[in-house]
């Protein structure tokens, strides 16, 4: 398979890159400044595209690659791939579900604790030598807080189970009520936000869920509410979020994702009730290696005419 062209659209995992390089003719898209010329020269040898949560395959790229057979995402999210165009052209699409569920759920709980107990601020307090001048101010308890989850898929359920261990009552919003859980269901996000103290975004990004957390939802969550986002940045109306935090209409936020990554609103930088992470929810060595193995397995299955490991389209 060394002659099969695989286009890696941006730097990802060094392990994934090494494994692709061993098996295929790996083309690193980011190394070419003139993308149009590059595509013109290599279009007929590229049979696979490997993307991630930040970059995938839009309609323009798909149209420019006549031999494209598969788009393999090094991520669960598919919002950077034009799925309709792939279906139209019979191009297979895969992602990396399941293996990152535990890490993402762990981080969601970590963000809740970090915001409520102000762990990052405490760390800075000690490192700046301020402890000698007096005790740190009191923070807020996590155990027992009501947790509302937008999206009760694999990751949402894993977050719920972890929060339950802290004695947190769980409720959720989804497109329909789930039959496999006794958690409290709310038919709208506003109702969910009204009835919880911590609101967690854990759904897929689709046209329907873009800005699913808007001014009304933030208002319903309120001045003591905490918003956690481990989904995608565009789930939240970022301008409304920033203004709500600055004006004290929202109690705090823990954010792993942003609307225009890696750009982050600078107005958030000075807020002690906000914890900001650089999209690292699945970022452990163990999980990223497992994700890479799934990408490799899907590509090998495609080119050996075997069933795909994790087909989406």
């Amino acid at each position: 398979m060394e002659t099969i062209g695989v286009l890696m659209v941006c730097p990802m995992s060094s392990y994934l890159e090494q494994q692709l390089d061993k098996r295929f003719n790996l083309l690193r898209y980011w190394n070419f400044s003139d993308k149009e010329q590059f595509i013109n020269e290599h279009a007929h040898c590229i049979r696979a595209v490997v993307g991630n949560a930040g970059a995938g395959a839009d309609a323009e790229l798909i149209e420019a690659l006549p031999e494209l057979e598969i788009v393999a995402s090094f991520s669960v999210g598919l919002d950077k791939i034009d799925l309709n165009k792939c279906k139209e052209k019979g191009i297979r699409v895969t992602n990396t579900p399941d293996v990152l569920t535990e890490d993402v759920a762990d981080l969601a709980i970590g963000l809740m604790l970090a915001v409520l107990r102000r762990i990052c601020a405490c760390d800075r307090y000690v490192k700046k030598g301020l402890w000698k001048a007096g005790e740190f101010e009191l923070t807020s308890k996590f155990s027992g807080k009501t947790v509302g989850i937008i999206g009760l898929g694999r990751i949402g359920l894993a977050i719920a189970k972890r929060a339950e261990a802290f004695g947190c009552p769980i409720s959720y919003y989804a497109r329909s009520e789930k039959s496999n859980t006794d958690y409290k269901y709310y038919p709208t996000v506003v109702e969910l936000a009204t009835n919880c103290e911590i609101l967690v975004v854990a759904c897929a990004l689709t046209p329907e869920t873009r800005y699913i957390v808007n001014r009304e939802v933030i208002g319903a969550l309120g001045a003591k509410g905490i918003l956690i986002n481990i989904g995608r940045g565009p789930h939240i109306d970022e301008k409304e979020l920033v203004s709500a935090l600055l004006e004290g209409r929202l109690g705090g936020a823990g954010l792993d994702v942003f609307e225009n990554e890696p750009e982050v609103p600078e107005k958030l930088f000075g807020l002690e009730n906000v914890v900001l992470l650089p999209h690292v929810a699945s970022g452990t060595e163990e999980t990223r290696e497992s994700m890479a193995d799934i990408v490799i397995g899907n590509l090998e299955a495609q080119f050996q005419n075997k069933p795909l490991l994790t087909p989406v389209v």
Side-chain angles (χ1 to χ4, degrees), residues 79-99:
D79 48 285
K80 298 298 182 181
I81 302 171
D82 192 319
L83 296 178
N84 289 330
K85 182 62 68 174
C86 287
K87 289 177 183 177
E88 175 190 319
K89 290 186 166 291
I91 296 166
R92 305 304 305 275
V93 176
T94 64
N95 64 349
T96 58
D98 298 322
V99 293

Side-chain angles (χ1 to χ4, degrees), residues 130-141:
L130 298 176
W131 192 10
K132 296 174 183 178
E135 297 294 319
F136 192 82
E137 62 191 76
L138 296 179
T139 60
S140 184
K141 185 177 181 178

Side-chain angles (χ1 to χ4, degrees), residues 240-280:
E240 288 293 342
L241 171 66
V242 172
S243 64
L245 287 164
L246 290 173
E247 295 165 11
R249 293 186 284 110
L250 182 65
L255 309 170
D256 183 48
V257 290
F258 303 89
E259 193 165 350
N260 299 298
E261 297 175 3
E263 299 298 323
V264 178
E266 292 187 10
K267 291 180 179 179
L268 296 178
F269 293 174
L271 300 181
E272 293 290 353
N273 59 339
V274 177
V275 176
L276 309 173
L277 303 180
H279 202 150
V280 293

Side-chain angles (χ1 to χ4, degrees), residues 63-83:
E63 287 285 3
L65 302 175
E67 303 303 321
L68 184 62
E69 298 177 29
I70 182 171
V71 178
S73 180
F74 182 64
S75 167
V76 170
L78 299 164
D79 48 285
K80 298 298 182 181
I81 302 171
D82 192 319
L83 296 178

